[in-house]
Amino acid sequence: MQALLELQELDRKIAVCRAEEKELPKQKDKYAIHRKRLAAELKESEDKCKQIQQKQRECTGDIEQRQEQLKKYDTQLYSIRKNEEYKALLHEMELMKKQIAIKEERIIALMLEYDESKAALQADKERIEGEVKKIEQECKVIDDKLHVLISERKELEKSRGPVAAKVPHDLLSRYERVRKVRTPAVVPLNDETCGGCFMAVRPQIVNEILANDKIHACQHCGRLLYHVANLETSSADAHGESIPS
Ligand SMILES: [Zn+2]
């Protein structure tokens, strides 16, 4: 029974490791979300620059178009005979020139805007790179922890064989069966109740457990039962402190 409890403790530790191995990578989820957000921020900053460049192109195209039109008007001017028409066209040309001047001012404003956005983009890039680096470091810490955890668990698993070998074969297979459905599979008998499900154990079985005659399972939950006092005696035996005749 002592060896079985030792095995159970080992199995418990292995299970704790496995649970942590499962949980640990989840800590990286928040970093993945953070990374996505940073990527979105960077894209937004880049898009802003591109949008300004696009507006600049539109303005330039607009000016070119109007200048083209202006040239046409200029040639038309010479073929016009009527004074009224001549005046009207001149007026139209003035208007066109004003529109061009407005667009040119707009281009200058856009150039300033672009310089600002570009500087902001550069600053964003540097900040985001720094944050990504930090995230990578944090993720590495998690990966390292996981690595240590896995090797610890493998060590525990390696030591399991020799511990299991100390448990009598039939008891071991009973333990393995119970363990699949209930953990801990081995529990103490407390005041005639099962230490696992807390239900009363039949008096006759209680007596047999107390007498240390046989290893019984709880009739309610199937866990294997032991009496703590018996355990202490057998552990004392193991240390050679009291040898019963
Ligand atoms: Zn029980």
Side-chain angles (χ1 to χ4, degrees), residues 11-50:
D11 283 337
R12 188 191 63 78
K13 281 182 187 163
I14 292 170
V16 167
C17 279
R18 282 195 182 279
E20 268 184 71
E21 278 170 38
K22 236 176 136 183
E23 283 305 310
L24 212 50
K26 288 184 192 165
Q27 286 181 13
K28 288 193 344 191
D29 290 355
K30 66 172 178 193
Y31 293 118
I33 293 167
H34 193 182
R35 248 173 202 265
K36 251 189 191 169
R37 210 190 67 217
L38 290 174
E41 270 177 47
L42 188 63
K43 191 180 178 300
E44 200 182 314
S45 200
E46 282 169 346
D47 284 350
K48 204 177 168 192
C49 283
K50 280 182 197 159

Side-chain angles (χ1 to χ4, degrees), residues 6 10 18 28 34 59 79 85 91 94 97 116 123 126 132-133 137 163-164 172 206 219 226 235 238 241 243:
E6 198 185 322
L10 191 60
R18 282 195 182 279
K28 288 193 344 191
H34 193 182
C59 275
S79 56
E85 278 179 26
H91 179 71
E94 277 311 306
K97 280 175 189 164
E116 274 173 28
E126 279 164 25
V132 167
K133 214 175 244 178
Q137 281 165 355
V163 176
L172 184 63
V206 170
Q219 74 265 32
Y226 67 91
S235 109
E241 283 158 16
I243 300 158

Side-chain angles (χ1 to χ4, degrees), residues 4-178:
L4 186 59
L5 287 173
E6 198 185 322
L7 183 65
Q8 172 159 272
E9 177 56 15
L10 191 60
D11 283 337
R12 188 191 63 78
K13 281 182 187 163
I14 292 170
V16 167
C17 279
R18 282 195 182 279
E20 268 184 71
E21 278 170 38
K22 236 176 136 183
E23 283 305 310
L24 212 50
K26 288 184 192 165
Q27 286 181 13
K28 288 193 344 191
D29 290 355
K30 66 172 178 193
Y31 293 118
I33 293 167
H34 193 182
R35 248 173 202 265
K36 251 189 191 169
R37 210 190 67 217
L38 290 174
E41 270 177 47
L42 188 63
K43 191 180 178 300
E44 200 182 314
S45 200
E46 282 169 346
D47 284 350
K48 204 177 168 192
C49 283
K50 280 182 197 159
Q51 278 163 12
I52 294 168
Q53 283 179 314
Q54 178 59 27
K55 280 184 200 162
Q56 282 178 326
R57 277 194 295 274
E58 280 167 13
C59 275
T60 310
D62 206 60
I63 288 170
E64 281 167 2
Q65 232 182 345
R66 283 173 208 268
Q67 276 168 342
E68 223 25 68
Q69 190 61 39
L70 213 51
K71 268 186 208 162
K72 277 183 198 160
Y73 285 163
D74 212 33
T75 39
Q76 277 176 32
L77 215 51
Y78 297 100
S79 56
I80 290 171
R81 298 282 169 257
K82 284 180 185 166
N83 203 25
E84 287 301 309
E85 278 179 26
Y86 188 81
K87 269 185 181 170
L89 192 57
L90 267 186
H91 179 71
E92 189 62 33
M93 285 170 78
E94 277 311 306
L95 206 65
M96 197 67 88
K97 280 175 189 164
K98 270 182 194 164
Q99 284 167 343
I100 289 171
I102 288 169
K103 288 285 171 187
E104 278 168 348
E105 268 175 44
R106 178 87 184 106
I107 284 180
I108 291 168
L110 283 170
M111 276 161 79
L112 292 175
E113 213 181 301
Y114 179 72
D115 285 346
E116 274 173 28
S117 293
K118 215 182 160 188
L121 174 62
Q122 190 53 37
D124 282 343
K125 262 187 190 165
E126 279 164 25
R127 173 179 57 83
I128 289 168
E129 267 171 29
E131 284 188 50
V132 167
K133 214 175 244 178
K134 250 190 254 168
I135 288 174
E136 278 168 357
Q137 281 165 355
E138 295 289 341
C139 286
K140 195 185 174 300
V141 169
I142 293 170
D143 286 339
D144 289 348
K145 260 193 210 170
L146 190 63
H147 193 74
V148 170
L149 202 59
I150 289 171
S151 57
E152 274 175 7
R153 194 242 312 152
K154 283 188 175 161
E155 277 306 307
L156 289 173
E157 282 172 344
K158 235 188 257 173
S159 66
R160 195 184 185 273
V163 176
K166 289 194 283 181
V167 182
H169 188 75
D170 59 329
L171 184 58
L172 184 63
S173 54
R174 279 174 80 185
Y175 166 74
E176 295 291 5
R177 266 202 309 276
V178 179

Side-chain angles (χ1 to χ4, degrees), residues 182 187 193-201 217-225:
R182 281 182 183 55
V187 292
T193 60
C194 165
C197 68
F198 309 108
M199 302 275 278
V201 176
C218 166
Q219 74 265 32
H220 306 288
C221 68
R223 289 183 176 89
L224 304 176
L225 295 162

